[in-house]
Amino acid sequence: MSGEKSTSETMFMNLNADEAASEITEIESLCVKCEKNGITRILLTKIPFYKEIILTSFECLHCGETNNQTQFGGKFQEQGLQVKLKVETKKDLNRQVVISEIGRASCRERV
């Protein structure tokens, strides 16, 4: 099997804050509020240090109902991880931080 990519590698695209998401799947699905059809958008992606995740976004054009979810698409890391970010330019803030329910994030201002 050398040279072949695993299913996980081909389904989940790397997340890059500098590029627009290109592999979004849209499906028609039932709105639980008004019972008419709305649109669910699904993005399978990889976030560094966080593994594969599934991002879903639902929107009903009839009643305005929306719903966004993040689900795990892979396995958990066995140990935690500490990431430090040094902000020097406005572009450095062009990031989204995703943590699990048991994770934590903190921001400290240093002069």
Side-chain angles (χ1 to χ4, degrees):
M1 264 179 62
S2 66
E4 292 181 18
K5 290 186 176 182
S6 70
T7 303
S8 177
E9 288 176 335
T10 57
M11 287 180 59
F12 292 90
M13 306 301 289
N14 288 321
L15 186 64
N16 185 340
D18 298 326
E19 295 179 10
S22 59
E23 295 294 326
I24 296 174
T25 302
E26 289 189 359
I27 58 172
E28 196 171 285
S29 53
L30 183 69
C31 176
V32 295
K33 186 174 180 181
C34 72
E35 298 184 354
K36 294 183 180 178
N37 285 336
I39 299 293
T40 298
R41 292 175 182 85
I42 302 170
L43 174 64
L44 306 176
T45 189
K46 292 182 194 176
I47 295 179
F49 311 111
Y50 200 71
K51 307 294 181 192
E52 298 90 5
I53 64 167
I54 303 166
L55 302 172
T56 60
S57 174
F58 173 80
E59 180 180 20
C60 179
L61 299 176
H62 303 285
C63 70
E65 178 73 10
T66 60
N67 183 14
N68 299 299
Q69 294 182 342
T70 303
Q71 299 173 339
F72 297 106
K75 61 181 182 177
F76 291 101
Q77 273 186 222
E78 292 183 21
Q79 296 187 2
L81 176 71
Q82 181 178 23
V83 178
K84 293 183 179 183
L85 170 68
K86 184 176 182 181
V87 178
E88 295 180 327
T89 67
K90 188 175 181 178
K91 187 175 180 182
D92 293 336
L93 295 173
N94 185 21
R95 301 290 179 253
Q96 291 186 1
V97 177
V98 177
I99 59 173
S100 70
E101 300 86 24
I102 60 171
R104 67 177 176 187
S106 63
C107 297
R108 297 185 184 133
E109 184 177 342
R110 297 190 182 184
V111 181

